[in-house]
Amino acid sequence: MKKKIIALNTTIMLGLGAFALPAVNAESLDDIKKERSDVKSDLSKAEKELAAVLTELNGLEEKIAKVDQAVADNEKIVKETEKEIEEAKAKIKKLEEEIKVIQERIDKRSEILKERAVAIQNSGGSNVNYIEVLLGSTSFSDFVDRVGAISKIVDADEELLIQHDKDKKEVEEKKATVDKELTTLNEKMTDLEGMREQLKEQEAQNDKLKAELKEKEEVAAEKKSKLQAKDVDLAAMQAEIESSMARQAPVEASVTNNESTSTSTSTSTNTTNSNSSSKSKSSAKASSAPASTTVGSGMQAVISAGNKYIGNSVYVFGGGRSASDIAAGRFDCSGFVHWAFAQGGYSVGASTDALKNQGTPVPASQMQPGDMVFFNTYKTDGHVGIYIGGGKFIGSQSSTGVAIADMSSGYWAKAFNGRVNRIN
């Protein structure tokens, strides 16, 4: 643009002489002013866009901070679960060692009892054997000694059998404990794998938010920078032409300045009127804004209770069971369902295992808003939400926090296992 104007001025100066230059400069100045006005308008829009982006970025930063904290808390729970698993393994190992020792004792005692049984059988039975011993006494004192010896043998045999039975019972009990611990251990390991997968989803979602934040900020800043640079170039060109006109034609420059002042005043007046109109519209808009409504009671309250957390909540293992978690929008799936039903006056469990056994089972073809729906994620019935109609449910998902998801297609359609429970 600058080269074009300079070339045009040079051509006119050679063809028409210096007397025609002010008029040409005035026309070029008008063109530059118009272009600069357009640039300023675009710059104003860009600044507004940047301001909107920065506002959005602040919101994103807050959300990222929440997710970062949720990830940290969830990682802590994962580590605690890993520790519990190691403790359970150590307990099982100890029980197995104890069982081994007791079993060896039982095996040795069994051999002794077998030998005693064979000896008794060879002697013709225990009663005969003991009588023969007593009849073989040579004196009364020998008889008494033999009675005492036989009594000790009988007591020892009885104690041996009692201890034998006791050890067998202890082995059975310890084996049952091992089985129970193994079941708990397997459940914990399944939960741990599920938590790890959910952590990956949370971290991926957070990385995506951070990337979006950076990209938006860079695009808005670059757009503003380019417009500012263009405005600076136009301002320099405008100043150059105005200086030339002031030197060559003081009178025309004065008239031009007066016209500029008039234009400025008009612009100021229009701006004032525009601001006044804007404020009036803003006031009218504010006055017409609908008043906030409070959630009622019953199933409708259950369905709509979580709406206020959409977009400003995070998934935390074990979340939604304390006032501080609820206030901060920190829920896991079952914690959210438990809280949402409480808002409608219903008391339900706070774990998927408890929830899947509550209410009345209904066919998936007959589900209606307010029904609990279950999904097979990292395990059977690993996720639960509340059906809201239209093939959608609301729940606390690991990647989004509280959100409405489509269960008629995609991931959730595949994960839905058909379990639907209705709370009456």
Side-chain angles (χ1 to χ4, degrees), residues 189-348:
M189 291 180 73
T190 301
D191 288 341
L192 179 61
E193 289 304 313
M195 286 189 284
R196 283 174 175 161
E197 287 300 317
Q198 290 168 341
L199 266 181
K200 288 179 182 178
E201 290 179 3
Q202 283 188 314
E203 289 169 347
Q205 180 68 12
N206 223 22
D207 289 343
K208 182 181 178 182
L209 286 175
K210 290 175 181 177
E212 289 176 357
L213 183 153
K214 185 176 180 180
E215 183 181 358
K216 286 184 179 181
E217 190 173 19
E218 288 176 351
V219 169
E222 182 181 4
K223 184 176 181 181
K224 180 181 177 181
S225 178
K226 286 181 178 179
L227 287 169
Q228 285 177 328
K230 189 173 182 179
D231 184 54
V232 169
D233 289 342
L234 290 171
M237 293 172 66
Q238 179 180 335
E240 182 181 341
I241 293 176
E242 286 176 343
S243 177
S244 175
M245 291 175 66
R247 289 194 303 271
Q248 295 178 32
V251 175
E252 285 81 356
S254 176
V255 172
T256 301
N257 287 335
N258 289 335
E259 290 175 352
S260 178
T261 302
S262 175
T263 301
S264 176
T265 302
S266 176
T267 301
S268 175
T269 302
N270 290 338
T271 301
T272 302
N273 291 337
S274 176
N275 289 340
S276 176
S277 175
S278 177
K279 288 180 180 179
S280 176
K281 289 179 180 179
S282 176
S283 175
K285 184 178 180 181
S287 63
S288 63
S292 61
T293 57
T294 56
V295 176
S297 60
M299 196 54 69
Q300 186 54 47
V302 174
I303 297 168
S304 60
N307 290 343
K308 66 179 181 179
Y309 287 115
I310 295 175
N312 63 347
S313 60
V314 289
Y315 183 97
V316 178
F317 304 130
R321 293 161 180 80
S322 67
S324 59
D325 272 355
I326 293 168
R330 293 159 55 91
F331 297 95
D332 64 9
C333 63
S334 54
F336 171 75
V337 170
H338 169 81
W339 170 83
F341 272 94
Q343 306 316 295
Y346 301 90
S347 177
V348 297

Side-chain angles (χ1 to χ4, degrees), residues 28-63:
S28 300
L29 182 62
D30 288 341
D31 290 340
I32 291 174
K33 284 183 176 179
K34 183 178 184 306
E35 185 173 359
R36 192 179 178 197
S37 176
D38 292 340
V39 170
K40 283 186 175 291
S41 177
D42 290 340
L43 182 58
S44 177
K45 291 178 182 178
E47 287 175 342
K48 289 179 181 178
E49 288 177 10
L50 182 59
V53 168
L54 290 174
T55 300
E56 185 179 355
L57 293 182
N58 287 334
L60 279 174
E61 285 173 350
E62 290 178 4
K63 186 172 183 178

Side-chain angles (χ1 to χ4, degrees), residues 83-153:
K83 184 179 178 182
E84 290 174 359
I85 288 173
E86 291 304 314
E87 289 174 351
K89 286 181 178 178
K91 186 176 181 180
I92 290 171
K93 184 178 180 181
K94 184 180 178 182
L95 284 168
E96 289 174 341
E97 289 173 351
E98 291 174 355
I99 289 173
K100 184 179 179 181
V101 171
I102 296 171
Q103 189 62 51
E104 288 176 354
R105 202 162 62 222
I106 290 173
D107 293 341
K108 289 179 181 179
R109 194 182 293 115
S110 295
E111 290 299 322
I112 293 173
L113 290 173
K114 284 180 183 178
E115 291 174 359
R116 295 293 296 273
V118 170
I120 291 172
Q121 186 177 8
N122 291 337
S123 66
S126 60
N127 292 333
V128 174
N129 189 36
Y130 292 150
I131 291 172
E132 287 179 354
V133 171
L134 291 173
L135 293 176
S137 57
T138 57
S139 64
F140 181 75
S141 61
D142 184 32
F143 178 81
V144 172
D145 290 339
R146 293 190 181 204
V147 169
I150 291 171
S151 178
K152 287 180 180 180
I153 292 172

